[in-house]
Amino acid sequence: MAQKNKFLQISVVGGTDADRSTLALAESVGKAIAEQGAVLICGGFGGVMEAAARGAKERGGLTVGILSNYKKEKANPFIDITIPTGLGHARNFLVAASGDIVVALSGSHGTRSEVSAALLLGKKVVGLKAWQEIEGVHRVESVAELKKYYFA
Amino acid sequence: MAQKNKFLQISVVGGTDADRSTLALAESVGKAIAEQGAVLICGGFGGVMEAAARGAKERGGLTVGILSNYKKEKANPFIDITIPTGLGHARNFLVAASGDIVVALSGSHGTRSEVSAALLLGKKVVGLKAWQEIEGVHRVESVAELKKYYFA
Amino acid sequence: MAQKNKFLQISVVGGTDADRSTLALAESVGKAIAEQGAVLICGGFGGVMEAAARGAKERGGLTVGILSNYKKEKANPFIDITIPTGLGHARNFLVAASGDIVVALSGSHGTRSEVSAALLLGKKVVGLKAWQEIEGVHRVESVAELKKYYFA
Amino acid sequence: MAQKNKFLQISVVGGTDADRSTLALAESVGKAIAEQGAVLICGGFGGVMEAAARGAKERGGLTVGILSNYKKEKANPFIDITIPTGLGHARNFLVAASGDIVVALSGSHGTRSEVSAALLLGKKVVGLKAWQEIEGVHRVESVAELKKYYFA
């Protein structure tokens, strides 16, 4: 008989040009997602996306990169499965739509578009030290808090 | 010889469930766009989208509705040209991308996704009594101010 | 009162690298669409798209180009309204979806994707000296026949 | 150190309303993909998509369903990872774009749109007892032949 594996899917969104502490936080989120047995979904490129994917792979997790272009080889090296959409920035909606939970770190317009899309789609959106100014975002201060309240 | 008409295109975004004063403002924006000889672009449905399109048609303007579904007949009655994308909420990116200028009235997550998309694409985004909390949005207090500074 | 103009919308699809007789045919289709008072929808670039748009403008028609990229300036010079989707080849579905009728001239994979999308969406697809091998396509041999049976 | 798993990705496309022999063939393709260690990509719904995913899971493979709607729960029970795009039929382009190889079984307009999209993107497209009328499709008569020439 076929073995079914409906995975919990957790999207991580955040800036491409992130500072060191944000990247460290992203890597911790990636580890936590893998430890939880969930699949990490992200935009597949650099910055927060790459740090989170690296964290997930360090814990043996599975990672999916939903790219804005058609170039599979442009995914960061920690992406297992690549969805090269070619959709341009509209791919942000797919990253948001593919998470059962969306974890948002600090970022700029692209990240805000993903947070907005996720809220529009009725997703649970957790802002990790970020985005508390947007109504509907659940703010947490640490990965420990994220795990405690949202990954249980 | 063929007559060429590259129109200035102005996108108007804002809430579906808008209050009376926002709808009145949207209608004034639509009128101003038509008076300017520009084409009004919007999401084609109700609320701010419909009020703006009605305003544009009251001044003999041309209106385009970029729909999230495939149902042309669901466009509001003031839409001349319908682009029924079937793309779901991802159509918000197209509304943002299609404006040379994006005018944003108050709204919720959908509007914020359009403002974010427009900023991500490097568009000039004018917040009409709204969205000043987002970096990069040019806030104006009236349609007169909008016309003076942005439609010149 | 607002004047409502629900236009008939006719999409024209066909190859970018088209031969002379196909381009002449495309231009005639564009003229016929404009004479019909319909709006011409196309992909906005070269080949059949440009010839059809040129024909429409020669008869004072209105043209819409749904681009695959974000670069409005890449539209051919006969496009009045530009929808720069940034969606890559997926924009082909939008060209198909936006026509009440889809007229297909000879072309390659891109055109076949548009014909297939149009049939999938239940559109009336007319193959002008082309695509008769696809079930569901109505083949005609001339623009006169196209006008007689489909633009009436 | 992080373990990197760049998987070979193989997309399977074909009809929702498929006959018994096509479904059996699809299941065999799914098994062959899993035995190859590749990830199966499909549209996530019924018919050929479900049969192929069931085959892959019977051999312990990994399956991805790229859905046209936002409803993860509508994926067939053999899908591990769900990408609920909400893009309507335009998701067909993503199924095509996500495969390093695209295997096409018999189907109708939707399948033809996927074959066309894959060819447009320069993918290797193998028609399994189908689609030989489209230039560029490599026709094979059996799963054994498919494995021998394309999965080596």
Side-chain angles (χ1 to χ4, degrees), chain A residues 2-7 9 57-58 62 64 66 70 72 75-85 87 94 97-98 100 121, chain D residues 2-7 9 57-58 62 64 70 72 75-85 87 94 97-98 100 121:
Chain A
Q3 195 196 330
K4 300 180 193 178
N5 297 314
K6 287 272 178 220
F7 293 107
Q9 300 182 183
K57 294 312 296 173
E58 279 165 4
L62 188 61
V64 177
I66 302 179
Y70 289 124
K72 198 182 169 179
N76 72 58
F78 307 102
I79 296 300
D80 295 324
I81 296 173
T82 311
I83 310 293
T85 69
L87 294 173
L94 276 66
S98 297
D100 300 302
L121 292 164
Chain D
Q3 195 195 333
K4 300 180 192 178
N5 297 313
K6 286 273 177 219
F7 294 108
Q9 300 183 182
K57 294 312 296 174
E58 279 166 3
L62 187 63
V64 177
Y70 290 123
K72 198 180 170 181
N76 72 59
F78 307 103
I79 295 299
D80 296 323
I81 295 174
T82 311
I83 310 293
T85 70
L87 295 174
L94 276 65
S98 298
D100 299 302
L121 292 165

Short mmCIF file of all heavy atoms in Angstrom, two decimals, chain A residues 2-7 9 57-58 62 64 66 70 72 75-85 87 94 97-98 100 121, chain D residues 2-7 9 57-58 62 64 70 72 75-85 87 94 97-98 100 121:
data_model
loop_
_atom_site.label_atom_id
_atom_site.label_comp_id
_atom_site.label_asym_id
_atom_site.label_seq_id
_atom_site.Cartn_x
_atom_site.Cartn_y
_atom_site.Cartn_z
N ALA A 2 0.32 2.26 -0.62
CA ALA A 2 1.06 3.53 -0.69
C ALA A 2 1.12 4.19 0.69
O ALA A 2 0.12 4.22 1.41
CB ALA A 2 0.36 4.47 -1.67
N GLN A 3 2.28 4.71 1.02
CA GLN A 3 2.41 5.45 2.29
C GLN A 3 2.14 6.92 2.04
O GLN A 3 2.71 7.54 1.15
CB GLN A 3 3.84 5.27 2.80
CG GLN A 3 3.97 5.68 4.27
CD GLN A 3 5.41 5.88 4.66
OE1 GLN A 3 6.30 5.25 4.10
NE2 GLN A 3 5.64 6.76 5.63
N LYS A 4 1.23 7.47 2.81
CA LYS A 4 0.87 8.86 2.59
C LYS A 4 1.62 9.77 3.57
O LYS A 4 1.69 9.49 4.74
CB LYS A 4 -0.64 9.04 2.76
CG LYS A 4 -1.42 8.19 1.77
CD LYS A 4 -2.91 8.37 1.96
CE LYS A 4 -3.66 7.29 1.18
NZ LYS A 4 -5.12 7.40 1.39
N ASN A 5 2.14 10.84 3.06
CA ASN A 5 2.89 11.80 3.87
C ASN A 5 2.37 13.20 3.66
O ASN A 5 3.00 13.98 2.95
CB ASN A 5 4.37 11.82 3.46
CG ASN A 5 5.07 10.51 3.68
OD1 ASN A 5 4.94 9.91 4.72
ND2 ASN A 5 5.84 10.08 2.68
N LYS A 6 1.22 13.54 4.20
CA LYS A 6 0.82 14.95 4.08
C LYS A 6 1.68 15.73 5.07
O LYS A 6 1.50 15.61 6.28
CB LYS A 6 -0.65 15.14 4.44
CG LYS A 6 -1.62 14.63 3.41
CD LYS A 6 -1.95 15.67 2.34
CE LYS A 6 -2.90 15.03 1.33
NZ LYS A 6 -2.64 15.39 -0.03
N PHE A 7 2.59 16.48 4.57
CA PHE A 7 3.47 17.26 5.44
C PHE A 7 2.80 18.55 5.88
O PHE A 7 2.04 19.15 5.12
CB PHE A 7 4.74 17.63 4.69
CG PHE A 7 5.63 16.48 4.35
CD1 PHE A 7 5.73 16.03 3.04
CD2 PHE A 7 6.38 15.85 5.33
CE1 PHE A 7 6.56 14.98 2.70
CE2 PHE A 7 7.22 14.79 5.00
CZ PHE A 7 7.31 14.35 3.69
N GLN A 9 3.29 22.28 6.08
CA GLN A 9 4.14 23.16 5.26
C GLN A 9 4.24 24.53 5.92
O GLN A 9 3.21 25.13 6.27
CB GLN A 9 3.55 23.28 3.85
CG GLN A 9 3.46 21.94 3.15
CD GLN A 9 2.93 21.96 1.72
OE1 GLN A 9 2.79 20.91 1.11
NE2 GLN A 9 2.65 23.13 1.19
N LYS A 57 18.16 22.26 6.23
CA LYS A 57 19.02 21.17 5.75
C LYS A 57 19.99 20.70 6.84
O LYS A 57 20.33 19.51 6.89
CB LYS A 57 19.78 21.58 4.49
CG LYS A 57 18.93 21.84 3.26
CD LYS A 57 17.90 20.76 2.97
CE LYS A 57 18.50 19.42 2.61
NZ LYS A 57 17.44 18.37 2.50
N GLU A 58 20.41 21.62 7.69
CA GLU A 58 21.31 21.22 8.80
C GLU A 58 20.63 20.24 9.74
O GLU A 58 21.29 19.49 10.46
CB GLU A 58 21.78 22.46 9.58
CG GLU A 58 22.94 23.16 8.87
CD GLU A 58 23.21 24.56 9.40
OE1 GLU A 58 22.54 24.98 10.37
OE2 GLU A 58 24.08 25.25 8.82
N LEU A 62 13.31 19.05 4.66
CA LEU A 62 13.01 19.09 3.22
C LEU A 62 12.63 20.53 2.87
O LEU A 62 11.84 21.16 3.60
CB LEU A 62 11.85 18.13 2.93
CG LEU A 62 11.48 17.86 1.47
CD1 LEU A 62 12.62 17.22 0.69
CD2 LEU A 62 10.25 16.96 1.42
N VAL A 64 11.57 23.57 -0.17
CA VAL A 64 10.99 23.88 -1.48
C VAL A 64 11.24 25.35 -1.79
O VAL A 64 10.98 26.21 -0.94
CB VAL A 64 9.47 23.62 -1.48
CG1 VAL A 64 8.85 24.01 -2.83
CG2 VAL A 64 9.16 22.16 -1.16
N ILE A 66 10.19 28.35 -4.38
CA ILE A 66 9.27 28.79 -5.43
C ILE A 66 9.88 30.03 -6.07
O ILE A 66 9.80 31.13 -5.53
CB ILE A 66 7.87 29.09 -4.85
CG1 ILE A 66 7.31 27.83 -4.14
CG2 ILE A 66 6.91 29.55 -5.94
CD1 ILE A 66 5.94 28.02 -3.50
N TYR A 70 12.58 31.27 -14.37
CA TYR A 70 12.53 29.89 -14.86
C TYR A 70 13.85 29.15 -14.62
O TYR A 70 14.03 28.04 -15.10
CB TYR A 70 12.29 29.89 -16.38
CG TYR A 70 10.90 30.31 -16.81
CD1 TYR A 70 10.72 31.37 -17.70
CD2 TYR A 70 9.77 29.64 -16.36
CE1 TYR A 70 9.45 31.75 -18.12
CE2 TYR A 70 8.50 30.02 -16.77
CZ TYR A 70 8.35 31.07 -17.65
OH TYR A 70 7.09 31.44 -18.05
N LYS A 72 16.12 27.18 -12.63
CA LYS A 72 16.30 26.27 -11.50
C LYS A 72 17.68 26.40 -10.87
O LYS A 72 17.84 26.25 -9.66
CB LYS A 72 16.09 24.84 -12.03
CG LYS A 72 15.81 23.82 -10.97
CD LYS A 72 15.65 22.41 -11.58
CE LYS A 72 15.64 21.36 -10.48
NZ LYS A 72 15.47 19.99 -11.00
N ALA A 75 18.38 28.77 -7.84
CA ALA A 75 17.95 28.50 -6.46
C ALA A 75 19.18 28.42 -5.57
O ALA A 75 20.26 28.02 -6.02
CB ALA A 75 17.17 27.19 -6.40
N ASN A 76 19.04 28.77 -4.31
CA ASN A 76 20.18 28.66 -3.41
C ASN A 76 20.49 27.17 -3.19
O ASN A 76 19.65 26.31 -3.44
CB ASN A 76 19.93 29.43 -2.10
CG ASN A 76 18.91 28.77 -1.19
OD1 ASN A 76 19.08 27.62 -0.79
ND2 ASN A 76 17.85 29.50 -0.88
N PRO A 77 21.72 26.85 -2.74
CA PRO A 77 22.15 25.44 -2.71
C PRO A 77 21.42 24.58 -1.66
O PRO A 77 21.67 23.38 -1.61
CB PRO A 77 23.65 25.54 -2.40
CG PRO A 77 23.88 26.90 -1.86
CD PRO A 77 22.81 27.78 -2.41
N PHE A 78 20.55 25.17 -0.87
CA PHE A 78 19.88 24.40 0.18
C PHE A 78 18.43 24.08 -0.18
O PHE A 78 17.63 23.67 0.66
CB PHE A 78 19.97 25.16 1.51
CG PHE A 78 21.39 25.52 1.84
CD1 PHE A 78 21.86 26.81 1.62
CD2 PHE A 78 22.27 24.55 2.28
CE1 PHE A 78 23.19 27.13 1.87
CE2 PHE A 78 23.61 24.85 2.53
CZ PHE A 78 24.07 26.15 2.32
N ILE A 79 18.09 24.25 -1.45
CA ILE A 79 16.74 23.96 -1.93
C ILE A 79 16.71 22.56 -2.53
O ILE A 79 17.50 22.24 -3.41
CB ILE A 79 16.31 25.00 -3.00
CG1 ILE A 79 16.22 26.40 -2.38
CG2 ILE A 79 14.99 24.60 -3.64
CD1 ILE A 79 15.23 26.55 -1.25
N ASP A 80 15.80 21.73 -2.04
CA ASP A 80 15.66 20.37 -2.58
C ASP A 80 14.78 20.33 -3.82
O ASP A 80 15.10 19.71 -4.81
CB ASP A 80 15.03 19.46 -1.51
CG ASP A 80 15.91 19.29 -0.30
OD1 ASP A 80 17.15 19.23 -0.46
OD2 ASP A 80 15.38 19.25 0.82
N ILE A 81 13.62 20.95 -3.70
CA ILE A 81 12.63 20.92 -4.78
C ILE A 81 12.40 22.34 -5.27
O ILE A 81 12.17 23.25 -4.46
CB ILE A 81 11.30 20.30 -4.29
CG1 ILE A 81 11.54 18.84 -3.90
CG2 ILE A 81 10.20 20.43 -5.34
CD1 ILE A 81 10.36 18.17 -3.25
N THR A 82 12.48 22.53 -6.57
CA THR A 82 12.40 23.88 -7.13
C THR A 82 11.15 23.99 -8.00
O THR A 82 10.89 23.14 -8.84
CB THR A 82 13.64 24.15 -8.02
OG1 THR A 82 14.80 23.79 -7.30
CG2 THR A 82 13.71 25.60 -8.40
N ILE A 83 10.40 25.05 -7.79
CA ILE A 83 9.25 25.36 -8.63
C ILE A 83 9.58 26.66 -9.35
O ILE A 83 9.36 27.76 -8.82
CB ILE A 83 7.96 25.52 -7.78
CG1 ILE A 83 7.75 24.35 -6.82
CG2 ILE A 83 6.73 25.74 -8.67
CD1 ILE A 83 7.45 23.01 -7.46
N PRO A 84 10.16 26.55 -10.55
CA PRO A 84 10.58 27.76 -11.27
C PRO A 84 9.40 28.36 -12.03
O PRO A 84 9.16 28.04 -13.18
CB PRO A 84 11.66 27.22 -12.21
CG PRO A 84 11.35 25.78 -12.40
CD PRO A 84 10.43 25.33 -11.30
N THR A 85 8.67 29.26 -11.38
CA THR A 85 7.37 29.69 -11.90
C THR A 85 7.44 30.61 -13.11
O THR A 85 6.51 30.65 -13.91
CB THR A 85 6.54 30.43 -10.83
OG1 THR A 85 7.16 31.70 -10.55
CG2 THR A 85 6.43 29.63 -9.55
N LEU A 87 6.88 33.62 -12.92
CA LEU A 87 5.76 34.55 -12.72
C LEU A 87 6.19 35.94 -12.25
O LEU A 87 5.33 36.77 -11.95
CB LEU A 87 4.77 34.00 -11.69
CG LEU A 87 4.00 32.73 -12.03
CD1 LEU A 87 3.20 32.26 -10.81
CD2 LEU A 87 3.06 32.96 -13.22
N LEU A 94 2.31 32.82 -4.23
CA LEU A 94 2.37 31.36 -4.15
C LEU A 94 3.14 30.92 -2.90
O LEU A 94 2.80 29.90 -2.29
CB LEU A 94 3.04 30.77 -5.40
CG LEU A 94 2.09 30.57 -6.58
CD1 LEU A 94 1.56 31.84 -7.13
CD2 LEU A 94 2.76 29.74 -7.65
N ALA A 97 0.64 31.32 -0.23
CA ALA A 97 -0.46 30.35 -0.33
C ALA A 97 -0.03 28.94 0.03
O ALA A 97 -0.86 28.11 0.41
CB ALA A 97 -1.04 30.37 -1.75
N SER A 98 1.27 28.66 -0.08
CA SER A 98 1.74 27.28 0.12
C SER A 98 2.05 26.94 1.57
O SER A 98 2.35 25.78 1.88
CB SER A 98 2.98 27.04 -0.75
OG SER A 98 2.64 27.16 -2.11
N ASP A 100 1.00 26.42 5.53
CA ASP A 100 -0.10 26.30 6.49
C ASP A 100 0.06 27.41 7.54
O ASP A 100 -0.90 27.93 8.08
CB ASP A 100 -0.07 24.93 7.14
CG ASP A 100 -0.23 23.82 6.12
OD1 ASP A 100 -1.25 23.82 5.42
OD2 ASP A 100 0.68 22.97 6.01
N LEU A 121 -5.39 35.56 2.34
CA LEU A 121 -5.78 34.16 2.15
C LEU A 121 -6.20 33.50 3.46
O LEU A 121 -6.47 32.30 3.49
CB LEU A 121 -4.62 33.38 1.53
CG LEU A 121 -4.26 33.76 0.09
CD1 LEU A 121 -2.88 33.22 -0.29
CD2 LEU A 121 -5.32 33.21 -0.87
N ALA D 2 25.21 20.65 6.04
CA ALA D 2 23.90 20.41 5.44
C ALA D 2 24.02 19.40 4.31
O ALA D 2 24.94 19.47 3.50
CB ALA D 2 23.36 21.72 4.88
N GLN D 3 23.08 18.49 4.24
CA GLN D 3 23.05 17.52 3.15
C GLN D 3 22.22 18.10 2.01
O GLN D 3 21.08 18.53 2.21
CB GLN D 3 22.42 16.22 3.64
CG GLN D 3 22.68 15.06 2.68
CD GLN D 3 21.78 13.90 2.97
OE1 GLN D 3 21.35 13.72 4.11
NE2 GLN D 3 21.49 13.09 1.97
N LYS D 4 22.78 18.12 0.84
CA LYS D 4 22.06 18.72 -0.28
C LYS D 4 21.43 17.64 -1.14
O LYS D 4 22.06 16.66 -1.48
CB LYS D 4 23.02 19.56 -1.13
CG LYS D 4 23.64 20.70 -0.33
CD LYS D 4 24.58 21.52 -1.18
CE LYS D 4 25.40 22.45 -0.27
NZ LYS D 4 26.35 23.24 -1.07
N ASN D 5 20.20 17.85 -1.48
CA ASN D 5 19.46 16.88 -2.29
C ASN D 5 18.83 17.53 -3.49
O ASN D 5 17.62 17.77 -3.49
CB ASN D 5 18.30 16.26 -1.48
CG ASN D 5 18.75 15.47 -0.29
OD1 ASN D 5 19.65 14.65 -0.38
ND2 ASN D 5 18.11 15.71 0.86
N LYS D 6 19.58 17.88 -4.49
CA LYS D 6 18.92 18.41 -5.69
C LYS D 6 18.31 17.21 -6.41
O LYS D 6 19.02 16.39 -6.97
CB LYS D 6 19.93 19.08 -6.62
CG LYS D 6 20.43 20.41 -6.16
CD LYS D 6 19.53 21.58 -6.60
CE LYS D 6 20.08 22.89 -6.03
NZ LYS D 6 19.09 23.82 -5.56
N PHE D 7 17.04 17.11 -6.35
CA PHE D 7 16.35 15.99 -6.99
C PHE D 7 16.16 16.23 -8.48
O PHE D 7 15.94 17.37 -8.90
CB PHE D 7 14.96 15.80 -6.39
CG PHE D 7 14.97 15.36 -4.96
CD1 PHE D 7 14.59 16.25 -3.96
CD2 PHE D 7 15.33 14.07 -4.61
CE1 PHE D 7 14.58 15.85 -2.63
CE2 PHE D 7 15.31 13.67 -3.29
CZ PHE D 7 14.94 14.56 -2.29
N GLN D 9 13.56 16.23 -11.24
CA GLN D 9 12.11 16.44 -11.16
C GLN D 9 11.47 16.05 -12.49
O GLN D 9 11.90 16.50 -13.54
CB GLN D 9 11.82 17.92 -10.85
CG GLN D 9 12.43 18.35 -9.52
CD GLN D 9 12.14 19.78 -9.07
OE1 GLN D 9 12.63 20.20 -8.03
NE2 GLN D 9 11.35 20.52 -9.83
N LYS D 57 4.03 6.75 -4.93
CA LYS D 57 3.97 6.46 -3.48
C LYS D 57 4.09 4.96 -3.23
O LYS D 57 4.62 4.54 -2.20
CB LYS D 57 2.67 7.00 -2.86
CG LYS D 57 2.54 8.51 -2.84
CD LYS D 57 3.76 9.24 -2.32
CE LYS D 57 4.08 8.94 -0.86
NZ LYS D 57 5.37 9.56 -0.46
N GLU D 58 3.60 4.14 -4.15
CA GLU D 58 3.75 2.68 -3.99
C GLU D 58 5.22 2.27 -4.00
O GLU D 58 5.58 1.20 -3.49
CB GLU D 58 2.99 1.95 -5.11
CG GLU D 58 1.50 1.83 -4.81
CD GLU D 58 0.68 1.43 -6.03
OE1 GLU D 58 1.27 1.19 -7.10
OE2 GLU D 58 -0.57 1.39 -5.90
N LEU D 62 8.51 10.63 -3.79
CA LEU D 62 8.06 11.92 -3.26
C LEU D 62 7.25 12.60 -4.37
O LEU D 62 7.66 12.63 -5.53
CB LEU D 62 9.29 12.75 -2.89
CG LEU D 62 9.07 14.07 -2.15
CD1 LEU D 62 8.42 13.87 -0.79
CD2 LEU D 62 10.43 14.78 -1.96
N VAL D 64 4.71 15.99 -5.68
CA VAL D 64 4.33 17.40 -5.54
C VAL D 64 3.11 17.65 -6.41
O VAL D 64 3.09 17.27 -7.59
CB VAL D 64 5.48 18.33 -5.99
CG1 VAL D 64 5.06 19.80 -5.92
CG2 VAL D 64 6.73 18.10 -5.16
N TYR D 70 -6.88 27.22 -4.34
CA TYR D 70 -6.18 27.45 -3.07
C TYR D 70 -6.46 26.33 -2.06
O TYR D 70 -6.12 26.46 -0.89
CB TYR D 70 -6.67 28.76 -2.45
CG TYR D 70 -6.23 30.02 -3.16
CD1 TYR D 70 -7.16 30.96 -3.63
CD2 TYR D 70 -4.88 30.30 -3.35
CE1 TYR D 70 -6.75 32.12 -4.27
CE2 TYR D 70 -4.46 31.48 -3.98
CZ TYR D 70 -5.40 32.37 -4.43
OH TYR D 70 -5.00 33.52 -5.06
N LYS D 72 -5.83 23.12 -0.52
CA LYS D 72 -4.88 22.02 -0.28
C LYS D 72 -5.60 20.68 -0.10
O LYS D 72 -5.11 19.64 -0.51
CB LYS D 72 -4.09 22.38 0.98
CG LYS D 72 -2.81 21.60 1.14
CD LYS D 72 -2.07 22.01 2.42
CE LYS D 72 -0.91 21.03 2.67
NZ LYS D 72 -0.18 21.37 3.91
N ALA D 75 -6.27 18.21 -3.07
CA ALA D 75 -5.22 17.40 -3.71
C ALA D 75 -5.58 15.93 -3.54
O ALA D 75 -6.24 15.54 -2.56
CB ALA D 75 -3.87 17.69 -3.05
N ASN D 76 -5.17 15.11 -4.48
CA ASN D 76 -5.44 13.68 -4.33
C ASN D 76 -4.62 13.12 -3.16
O ASN D 76 -3.63 13.75 -2.73
CB ASN D 76 -5.19 12.94 -5.65
CG ASN D 76 -3.74 12.80 -6.02
OD1 ASN D 76 -2.95 12.23 -5.27
ND2 ASN D 76 -3.36 13.33 -7.18
N PRO D 77 -5.02 11.97 -2.61
CA PRO D 77 -4.39 11.49 -1.37
C PRO D 77 -2.94 11.04 -1.51
O PRO D 77 -2.32 10.69 -0.51
CB PRO D 77 -5.28 10.32 -0.94
CG PRO D 77 -6.07 9.95 -2.14
CD PRO D 77 -6.17 11.16 -3.00
N PHE D 78 -2.39 11.06 -2.71
CA PHE D 78 -1.02 10.59 -2.92
C PHE D 78 -0.03 11.74 -3.12
O PHE D 78 1.10 11.54 -3.54
CB PHE D 78 -0.99 9.61 -4.10
CG PHE D 78 -1.99 8.52 -3.93
CD1 PHE D 78 -3.20 8.52 -4.63
CD2 PHE D 78 -1.77 7.50 -3.00
CE1 PHE D 78 -4.15 7.53 -4.41
CE2 PHE D 78 -2.73 6.51 -2.79
CZ PHE D 78 -3.92 6.53 -3.50
N ILE D 79 -0.49 12.95 -2.79
CA ILE D 79 0.37 14.13 -2.92
C ILE D 79 1.01 14.42 -1.56
O ILE D 79 0.32 14.56 -0.56
CB ILE D 79 -0.46 15.35 -3.38
CG1 ILE D 79 -1.02 15.10 -4.79
CG2 ILE D 79 0.37 16.62 -3.33
CD1 ILE D 79 0.02 14.89 -5.87
N ASP D 80 2.34 14.54 -1.55
CA ASP D 80 3.06 14.86 -0.32
C ASP D 80 3.13 16.36 -0.07
O ASP D 80 2.89 16.83 1.02
CB ASP D 80 4.50 14.32 -0.40
CG ASP D 80 4.55 12.81 -0.48
OD1 ASP D 80 3.73 12.15 0.17
OD2 ASP D 80 5.41 12.29 -1.23
N ILE D 81 3.52 17.07 -1.11
CA ILE D 81 3.73 18.52 -0.98
C ILE D 81 2.77 19.21 -1.95
O ILE D 81 2.70 18.85 -3.12
CB ILE D 81 5.19 18.89 -1.33
CG1 ILE D 81 6.12 18.26 -0.29
CG2 ILE D 81 5.38 20.40 -1.39
CD1 ILE D 81 7.59 18.43 -0.60
N THR D 82 2.04 20.18 -1.41
CA THR D 82 1.01 20.84 -2.21
C THR D 82 1.37 22.31 -2.42
O THR D 82 1.71 23.00 -1.47
CB THR D 82 -0.35 20.77 -1.47
OG1 THR D 82 -0.56 19.42 -1.06
CG2 THR D 82 -1.48 21.19 -2.37
N ILE D 83 1.28 22.74 -3.66
CA ILE D 83 1.47 24.16 -3.99
C ILE D 83 0.12 24.65 -4.50
O ILE D 83 -0.20 24.52 -5.69
CB ILE D 83 2.56 24.34 -5.07
CG1 ILE D 83 3.85 23.58 -4.72
CG2 ILE D 83 2.84 25.82 -5.32
CD1 ILE D 83 4.62 24.09 -3.52
N PRO D 84 -0.69 25.20 -3.61
CA PRO D 84 -2.04 25.65 -4.00
C PRO D 84 -1.98 27.05 -4.61
O PRO D 84 -2.11 28.04 -3.90
CB PRO D 84 -2.81 25.62 -2.68
CG PRO D 84 -1.78 25.78 -1.62
CD PRO D 84 -0.43 25.46 -2.20
N THR D 85 -1.79 27.11 -5.92
CA THR D 85 -1.45 28.40 -6.55
C THR D 85 -2.59 29.39 -6.65
O THR D 85 -2.37 30.60 -6.70
CB THR D 85 -0.91 28.19 -7.99
OG1 THR D 85 -2.00 27.74 -8.83
CG2 THR D 85 0.20 27.17 -8.02
N LEU D 87 -4.04 30.00 -9.29
CA LEU D 87 -3.82 30.66 -10.58
C LEU D 87 -4.77 30.20 -11.68
O LEU D 87 -4.63 30.62 -12.84
CB LEU D 87 -2.39 30.42 -11.08
CG LEU D 87 -1.24 31.01 -10.27
CD1 LEU D 87 0.09 30.53 -10.84
CD2 LEU D 87 -1.30 32.54 -10.28
N LEU D 94 3.15 26.11 -14.79
CA LEU D 94 4.06 25.82 -13.69
C LEU D 94 4.37 24.33 -13.61
O LEU D 94 5.49 23.94 -13.26
CB LEU D 94 3.48 26.29 -12.35
CG LEU D 94 3.71 27.76 -12.03
CD1 LEU D 94 3.01 28.68 -12.98
CD2 LEU D 94 3.34 28.05 -10.60
N ALA D 97 6.89 23.91 -16.28
CA ALA D 97 8.18 24.55 -15.97
C ALA D 97 8.94 23.81 -14.87
O ALA D 97 10.16 23.94 -14.77
CB ALA D 97 7.94 26.00 -15.54
N SER D 98 8.23 23.05 -14.05
CA SER D 98 8.88 22.43 -12.89
C SER D 98 9.51 21.08 -13.18
O SER D 98 10.18 20.50 -12.31
CB SER D 98 7.86 22.28 -11.75
OG SER D 98 7.41 23.56 -11.35
N ASP D 100 12.21 18.64 -15.12
CA ASP D 100 13.42 18.59 -15.97
C ASP D 100 13.05 17.82 -17.24
O ASP D 100 13.59 18.07 -18.31
CB ASP D 100 14.54 17.88 -15.22
CG ASP D 100 14.92 18.62 -13.95
OD1 ASP D 100 15.29 19.80 -14.05
OD2 ASP D 100 14.78 18.04 -12.86
N LEU D 121 9.24 26.26 -23.34
CA LEU D 121 10.29 26.48 -22.35
C LEU D 121 11.55 25.66 -22.65
O LEU D 121 12.49 25.66 -21.86
CB LEU D 121 9.77 26.12 -20.95
CG LEU D 121 8.69 27.05 -20.40
CD1 LEU D 121 7.97 26.41 -19.21
CD2 LEU D 121 9.30 28.37 -19.98
#
